[in-house]
Amino acid sequence: YKQAKILYEGTERTSKNGRMSRCDAMTTFLAYWLSHDPVEKNRLIGSSWEMTTEALRNFTKTGEEADCWTTLSQLALVACLAHRLEWDREKRKKIPLEALEYGNKAVQYLSNTQRPSELARAYAMVITWLVEVAFFLGPEEREKNDETVRDYWAKAAQRSEEAALVEVANLD
C-alpha cells in the first residue's frame, strides 16, 4: 500500500487523492493489527477510519462510485472496530452514521449494476450500521429503523443470502 500510494502520487487521475487516502487507511489498519499496545491500537483504528472517510469523501466528490464501493468494501471492518472502541458518545454515534451514509450510496450505485452478490453485501453492511445507530434513536425512530432493516434484509437475501450472511458475520 505504501508503494501503491507513491505510484498514485505520480498520476493525474481524478481518483488520485481518494486512492492515496485509501492506501493510508489500509496501511494504518494493518498497523492496528500489528500493535500490541491497547492505547496505540485505539489511536490507529480511529486514524484509519478518518482516512477511510477522507477517501470516501474524495471519491464521492469526483464521482468515482466504483472506487467508493471498493474502499467501503475493503475497510468496512474499520468502521465497526472504531465504533466499538470509541469511548466518546458523540464520536461513537458519528461513526456508524458516516458508514451508513456511504453504505446507502453503495447500495444506490450497486443497484444499477449486474452484481447481485456485491449488492447483497452492501445491504448487509447498511443493516449492520442501522443496528448500531438504533441505540441512539427514540422509540418512533427505532421502529422506522427496524422496518428499514427488515426491508433491506429481504432485498439482500433476494440478491444473495449467502453473501449477505457472510458479510454480517464479517462485520459482527
Side-chain angles (χ1 to χ4, degrees):
Y1 291 99
K2 287 179 181 178
Q3 289 178 331
K5 181 182 176 185
I6 292 167
L7 292 174
Y8 290 135
E9 286 174 343
T11 69
E12 298 298 322
R13 298 180 66 154
T14 57
S15 61
K16 167 185 169 174
N17 291 335
R19 288 180 179 209
M20 288 176 9
S21 293
R22 182 172 59 207
C23 287
D24 287 339
M26 188 61 81
T27 302
T28 305
F29 186 41
L30 294 171
Y32 161 85
W33 288 108
L34 295 174
S35 177
H36 298 288
D37 178 16
V39 174
E40 179 67 2
K41 285 178 85 75
N42 197 20
R43 186 191 69 73
L44 288 166
I45 201 67
S47 293
S48 183
W49 178 243
E50 288 174 16
M51 292 170 200
T52 300
T53 57
E54 182 180 330
L56 293 167
R57 277 191 304 276
N58 281 320
F59 289 134
T60 300
K61 189 169 107 179
T62 59
E64 304 284 340
E65 294 172 314
D67 276 318
C68 201
W69 165 242
T70 298
T71 302
L72 194 62
S73 176
Q74 291 176 352
L75 294 161
L77 184 57
V78 172
C80 293
L81 292 170
H83 169 72
R84 291 183 181 136
L85 295 174
E86 181 56 60
W87 285 86
D88 181 271
R89 180 176 168 77
E90 288 307 309
K91 288 180 185 176
R92 187 175 172 87
K93 181 179 179 181
K94 183 182 174 193
I95 293 167
L97 288 173
E98 289 173 328
L100 191 55
E101 175 188 347
Y102 291 106
N104 280 322
K105 288 179 183 182
V107 165
Q108 190 174 21
Y109 161 68
L110 291 166
S111 293
N112 297 318
T113 68
Q114 298 298 318
R115 294 152 54 183
S117 292
E118 290 188 54
L119 179 56
R121 288 183 56 224
Y123 275 122
M125 285 179 193
V126 170
I127 289 167
T128 299
W129 297 318
L130 284 168
V131 169
E132 296 297 337
V133 167
F135 291 104
F136 302 101
L137 302 175
E140 290 178 20
E141 293 170 306
R142 191 173 289 162
E143 182 58 38
K144 185 177 183 223
N145 192 63
D146 290 348
E147 285 178 32
T148 304
V149 167
R150 288 189 294 274
D151 179 49
Y152 276 23
W153 182 254
K155 290 177 180 180
Q158 181 183 17
R159 271 66 176 188
S160 174
E161 186 173 20
E162 180 181 356
L165 286 169
V166 168
E167 192 62 39
V168 169
N170 284 338
L171 296 178
D172 192 27

